[in-house]
Amino acid sequence: QQQVKQSPQSLIVQKGGISIINCAYENTAFDYFPWYQQFPGKGPALLIAIRPDVSEKKEGRFTISFNKSAKQFSLHIMDSQPGDSATYFCAPRVGSARQLTFGSGTQLTVLP
Amino acid sequence: GAVVSQHPSWVICKSGTSVKIECRSLDFQATTMFWYRQFPKQSLMLMATSNEGSKATYEQGVEKDKFLINHASLTLSTLTVTSAHPEDSSFYICSARDPLVVEQFFGPGTRLTVL
């Protein structure tokens, strides 16, 4: 059973554009919804995360939108920059001690 | 932010040898550490979860006798790949859970190449 489905697999946007990555999940027990950013040859780093009691969270150019009824959450990157070119993973989790469930990843390329 | 280190960052070894990878939480005590494997252009696959002072819990399909995990202290976990073969070549990443902030922090990864 694929618990987390991430799309698109790859995304190319122009500098200054909006990048949108989506994550659909099946496990309604998930209670923490993070997005991680990974550069080649590096470990993932937490970018932004949301709890299910809010529908949106914004940190700088990064926004998470959460739709509990649709079991989906998305990452929006405003004013995308070439330095944002990386692979992004959604990785929801059940409880604080449990492991993350990684999506398949989205390779974002921002053209200068 | 919390820092997790891994050593070595890359290693090349001959088939049949064993390789040890260290994962350290530098500025917090990690009660739980996780080990992942990542193949090129793929997602992270959880291999095992280790809690300090107890045996690791391995995911289905991961050979516990091949991938030995030791979490002997609150700041150090080690992964030993025993009798490594070319198919074990991969990017190994650890993460450590900071119980005070309930967040996992990832190490920079270790690139293992088995010849």
Side-chain angles (χ1 to χ4, degrees):
Chain A
Q1 181 185 11
Q2 187 177 5
Q3 292 200 54
V4 177
K5 188 174 291 186
Q6 186 175 337
S7 63
Q9 184 176 1
S10 63
L11 181 62
I12 300 174
V13 301
Q14 294 286 342
K15 178 182 176 180
I18 301 174
S19 304
I20 301 175
I21 305 171
N22 301 297
C23 191
Y25 62 94
E26 297 175 4
N27 189 347
T28 55
F30 286 143
D31 59 3
Y32 178 71
F33 301 88
W35 285 96
Y36 286 85
Q37 179 188 56
Q38 184 181 31
F39 292 104
K42 304 294 183 183
L46 178 65
L47 189 62
I48 188 172
I50 199 169
R51 297 281 181 188
D53 53 345
V54 297
S55 60
E56 186 174 282
K57 181 177 181 180
K58 183 176 181 179
E59 291 184 356
R61 296 185 294 109
F62 303 95
T63 300
I64 291 183
S65 296
F66 179 72
N67 187 329
K68 188 174 183 178
S69 61
K71 293 187 288 185
Q72 294 180 347
F73 62 110
S74 60
L75 173 68
H76 296 235
I77 305 175
M78 312 298 288
D79 186 27
S80 299
Q81 300 296 312
D84 297 330
S85 297
T87 301
Y88 294 81
F89 294 96
C90 61
R93 184 184 74 196
V94 176
S96 61
R98 301 290 186 90
Q99 66 265 29
L100 302 165
T101 303
F102 277 86
S104 55
T106 297
Q107 185 168 353
L108 172 65
T109 303
V110 182
L111 301 176
Chain B
V3 179
V4 176
S5 69
Q6 279 185 243
H7 178 80
S9 56
W10 59 270
V11 56
I12 301 173
C13 69
K14 292 183 178 181
S15 183
T17 60
S18 295
V19 174
K20 180 184 285 188
I21 302 170
E22 292 185 349
C23 176
R24 293 182 184 272
S25 57
L26 299 185
D27 51 3
F28 65 97
Q29 293 186 326
T31 52
T32 304
M33 289 185 171
F34 303 89
W35 285 96
Y36 297 85
R37 181 167 53 182
Q38 185 179 35
F39 292 107
K41 297 195 181 297
Q42 293 189 21
S43 187
L44 283 74
M45 296 299 296
L46 180 66
M47 299 175 65
T49 301
S50 71
N51 293 294
E52 186 266 338
S54 62
K55 289 184 178 181
T57 301
Y58 290 82
E59 294 300 301
Q60 190 173 8
V62 177
E63 301 175 59
K64 60 182 179 182
D65 293 332
K66 180 172 185 61
F67 299 99
L68 302 179
I69 293 173
N70 187 342
H71 191 164
S73 77
L74 286 172
T75 59
L76 174 65
S77 177
T78 60
L79 168 67
T80 301
V81 183
T82 62
S83 186
H85 288 93
E87 58 265 30
D88 299 323
S89 298
S90 187
F91 193 50
Y92 291 87
I93 306 171
C94 72
S95 71
R97 176 178 168 267
D98 185 345
L100 296 181
V101 297
V102 194
E103 183 53 68
Q104 287 185 36
F105 298 94
F106 286 82
T110 297
R111 174 75 58 192
L112 170 63
T113 301
V114 184
L115 302 177

